[in-house]
Amino acid sequence: MTLTIPALRARSARRRRRRPLAVSLAVAFLILLTVAGLLAPVLAPHSPDATSLLNSLLPPGAGEHWLGTDSTGRDVLSRIMYGARLSLLAPLGVVLLSGVLGIAIGLLAARAGGWADAVISRGMDIVFAFPSLLLAMLVVAVTGPGLTAPICALAVSYTPFVGRVVRSVAIQEGARPYMESYRVMGFGVLWVTLRHLLPNVMPVLIAQSALAFGYALVDLASLSYLGLGVRPPDADWGSMISQARSAILQGEPWSGLLPGLVVLLTVVSVNVLGEHIGGSIAGKREGS
Amino acid sequence: MKPTQRRRTFAGWIGRRALGGVLTVLIASILIYGALRLVPGDPVLAVTGGRRLTPEQIEALRHRYGLDRGFAQGYLAWIGDALRLDLGTSLNYQTGVTSLIADRLGVSGLLILYSALLAIVSGSAVALVSAVKGGPVNRVAGIAAAVTTATPTFVSAIGLLALFSVGLGWFPATGAGTGLADRLWHLTLPAVAMALVAFGVLARVGNAAFTEELRREHVEVARSRGVGGAAVIGRHVVRNALAPMLTIVGLLFASLFVGTAVVETAFGLDGVGSLLVGSVSRRDFPVVQGIALIAVLLFVVINTLVDLAMPFIDPRVTVGGPSR
Amino acid sequence: MNAPVLSVTSLVKRFGHLTAVDDVSFELMPGASLGIVGESGSGKTTTARILAGLEQPTSGTVTLDGEIVGGQSRRARLRQARLLQMIFQDPYGSFDPRRTVAESIAEPLRLHAPGPAAAHRARVGELLDQVGLSARAGESLPRELSGGQRQRAAIARALGIAPRVLVLDEAVAALDVSIQAQILTLLDELRRDTGISYVFVSHDLAVVRYITDTAVVMRHGRIVERGETEQILRSPRHPYTRLLLDSIPSPGWDLDRVARDRRALDAL
Amino acid sequence: MRVLAKKTPARREAPDGGAGDRRDALGVSGLSLTLGTGVPLLADVTVRVGRGETVGLVGESGSGKSLTARTALGMLPRGARATGEVTVADVDVLAAGRRRLRELRRTRASMIFQDPRASINPVRRIGDYLTEGLRARGVPARAVAGRALELLDQVGIRDPGGALRCFPHEFSGGMLQRVVIAGALSTEPELLLADEPTTALDVTTQAEVIALLKDMQRAHGTGMLFVTHDLDLAAAICDRVYVMYAGRIVEESTGSGLFGAPAHPYTRALLEASPSVHGDRVAIRAIAGRPRSLADSPTGCSFRDRCPLAGDDCAETVPAHRPHGQSLAACLRPGQVTP
């Protein structure tokens, strides 16, 4: 039983403007990770590659290794900090590439309509039919392990994810009377698209990109976990977990669970942030 | 519109949808085949993957992949064989790809169905209860869904492994077991690990769909007519949210397919997923192509079926309208 | 000043096999106000959209200030915009949600009358004043204003271009009675002060009577009756106009008479 | 507010349509509604609908007219508190539990909403809509289909058999509203709450639907509360009319009296603001400001900030309803209104 009561709506709008705690925490965590990754050489307590068989598989909190060590005695905290570099940079590349492609394709499809739209949409359907990780694996099968090829593959794979949303929002937004009112006022299509349509599509795009970032991070970490991603001596969180496999079966799961937890928290944070951006757009759209 | 006329357009619509699906698979297959040709340099080097082969063997490979012919002829030969269920020969195992996959389909298929069932039942139940109850229940469910959606399958796999197999010893850590009961017991942890993401997505999307339907005026109207609570939920809320839910379920199969690769590797299961991972790292290209083709085919078939079911679920879906 | 500012000749618009507008012709003199009356599906809104250049007619012509409208060139587009502007039913939707009302009003000024920013700012102030909006309302986003204020803002934006003709498509239909009256009196004043012409599209005969001199009644895409508004309302000739008129509730409303009108129309 | 509630006896002298001693279809007295957050929605609303009577509830957006109608079925906004008294055919609505309310909605009172397209579940058939209501009322399963056919026939739908199998999107708005009316009257209720039932329809369709509604109401002796923003419509079809502004009733009058001698400045202002097709063409006079909700209206008389007659005394208390001519008006200067 919902009734639209102006006073109520105004209240909830006010509440929405205050940033929820979860969003603040998510932002703080992401900033922390970025700083840790950027300043890893300065901040990391140990060298990420210093092995010590005497100190292997230490649990968290043991002496000078705050988060313990892995099966070759390398410091887990330092490795997580160094791992943040590739783990965060690679999905960022995916998001930027797919964002640019997605905007171009989505806007083109929405504004062109007709057969161009049909062809583009069908193309996006086809790419969509490849699960992103499968496409990445297909590419790795051809090029061998490494990150460049999967990044490109994932960028292509996420283009429909962005492009479809851009297209539908652009069509939806394009059907709103204000687009027509600009045409009546004598403005050209390109001008209206770039100056009014794109800024109104942007928030949705950012929200969607945040989600894509999380998915790409998981996909790339999965690749590394499967031994198909980064090659030693490079390391990301996925490869750390991969190397902890035997330790887990021995009942010493920490060196695998901790980087796993970091992946999890990163993705949750990015999703929370994306959702918040998406939600505040929905709030702005609401209105009478 | 007369009924006969409607029936005719409906048949035409089914035809167009099915044709769209076939077209998607066809173009996807060209991409799968063409991936080999996209490599800079001699594609046969990608196929051999650094193995030492005699020039005769290389020539034989070249011939098998149609690399000695033009792209179109090569593709047609490959897809022609594939249509006859011949997906070529594995470089690594030296046996037919089709039989390699078929041998492992049982484990992977069961795993996918098992986890799909888990995800659909638990996801929709949580979605419905949280949407109807609202308040703290909704918030807790929302957090649970957010966390499970964000948990990479390999993280939940090692987490479950560490806790329930190694730690508590309730479930086996490796192997697929023999006999149905034993197999289900072996597959429970892998299925749960795979189902978590799908559960989260369904719980979220379902919650949004149910909440939206609960707000509809016709739900309020039904209540204003004194229709009982359970009947309102069943006939109006669940019934109307079926369409978006089904669409999501169809799309989730993509994540379940690739989930097998991760989970089978983590739990040491000998299925199609681990075959794929092994073949990618050994650059056993025929196997990779075969599995990719089957995955895409299954995904498109499932989602085309979902599409075709839509007009029966939501009569407003315009049968004559253009495809999405 | 006895040449029509707008004339429409044999306008036809087909969507597939549906004819939305069927052989519609009318003229509008400078400073005059013409009503287009009809129910949903009558083709009145499609006609308005053709006038504004949002739809291309299947056949027939629209002549603005002696020159036939057409062509997609920038010059043609700007000329049409300078002569004719449109007000939509939903004033909220007709503004870019991210821009303040003042920014939205200034935008067409920059396109049609390039000049220094200060001059535009001053003109926006004048326009806001002209439609009875405060400067504070000008600094608000569309969603922060009430329906009536948004419609005033939409009128201000259209007036900025100083068009000869204003097409109003159900412009007061979504407003409360007391607000509707405010907008109607505003429109009345504006026409008196500026000599602008209106094409007022509406389903509401009472509003049309108030705001227009002449009117056409449309049904199924065709004009079934035309003349002076007052004349049409006093002695309707077409059975459909009679039905429309008798369908309007009033004290002593005779529902049987409505049914009789309906039968007379069906018998046609 | 409690003091004002005592004024109810005075209402008896008001232009009631000769109610006699039969129980009323709807009795609302001294109803106040407040959200859990403290936002007031309705204050001291008193409305009566006799059996077989048509009563109008007129107001602009935010006046609380729909809210009042919904309260009669116990449909309060989430977390809202209601005080006062609401009785529908002897059932104390505010005190009734879930089962009693469901019972009331199934048998004694029905409601029709503004948009028929939103009222009927779009993925189920017309037949399902009708049978759902009939089954809820307890009509046996085998009798349901026949009764549904009968109902569709009564509301003037050609080929009722075919209509039962149709989906809502295959029907026009007017036809759908007929189906909704058939559904509402299938329970032979004592009270029909019609919330802007014709606002979404074309003028000519409105006339047809109103004619049907009046016919059905006459045939069943149903009392109707007709909620609308259209003064002319209310005056044309209602025996009595209540005018609402900012969550309060400001005037109660007979349908014809409303036009001839509006007692409250707001009613008069509304009349002067609406153009008319009948009579001579007269200028309209706009009311300054915008309609308010109860939460953001001024102290004392809610209308005083838009009222040309307002004086300092209007700010002191909410004016009590006092008789003036054929009306009861909540105004300190009703005498100065009538020309």
Side-chain angles (χ1 to χ4, degrees), chain B residues 158-188:
Chain B
I158 62 159
L160 291 171
L161 201 59
L163 183 62
F164 291 107
S165 302
V166 182
L168 296 168
W170 292 354
F171 291 96
T174 52
T178 47
L180 187 65
D182 187 42
R183 176 152 288 188
L184 284 179
W185 185 53
H186 274 80
L187 290 185
T188 298

Side-chain angles (χ1 to χ4, degrees), chain D residues 143-214:
Chain D
V144 158
R147 184 86 185 92
L149 277 177
E150 240 173 76
L151 282 167
L152 284 183
D153 191 47
Q154 275 173 24
V155 296
I157 285 177
R158 278 170 237 156
D159 183 22
L164 284 178
R165 284 187 301 275
C166 281
F167 284 103
H169 68 271
E170 296 167 308
F171 268 35
S172 71
M175 295 298 261
L176 275 189
Q177 199 61 299
R178 285 168 188 268
V179 172
V180 172
I181 291 172
L185 294 173
S186 68
T187 60
E188 298 188 0
E190 289 166 56
L191 175 67
L192 183 64
L193 300 150
D195 187 359
E196 305 249 13
T198 57
T199 305
L201 307 177
D202 272 331
V203 204
T204 54
T205 319
Q206 160 170 293
E208 288 169 20
V209 168
I210 293 286
L212 172 71
L213 211 47
K214 291 292 279 183

Side-chain angles (χ1 to χ4, degrees), chain A residues 131 133, chain B residues 153 194 197-198 201 250-261 299:
Chain A
L133 194 57
Chain B
T153 304
M194 260 170 69
V197 172
V201 173
L251 294 177
L252 278 177
F253 272 94
S255 87
L256 293 180
F257 290 156
V258 294
T260 58
F299 181 78

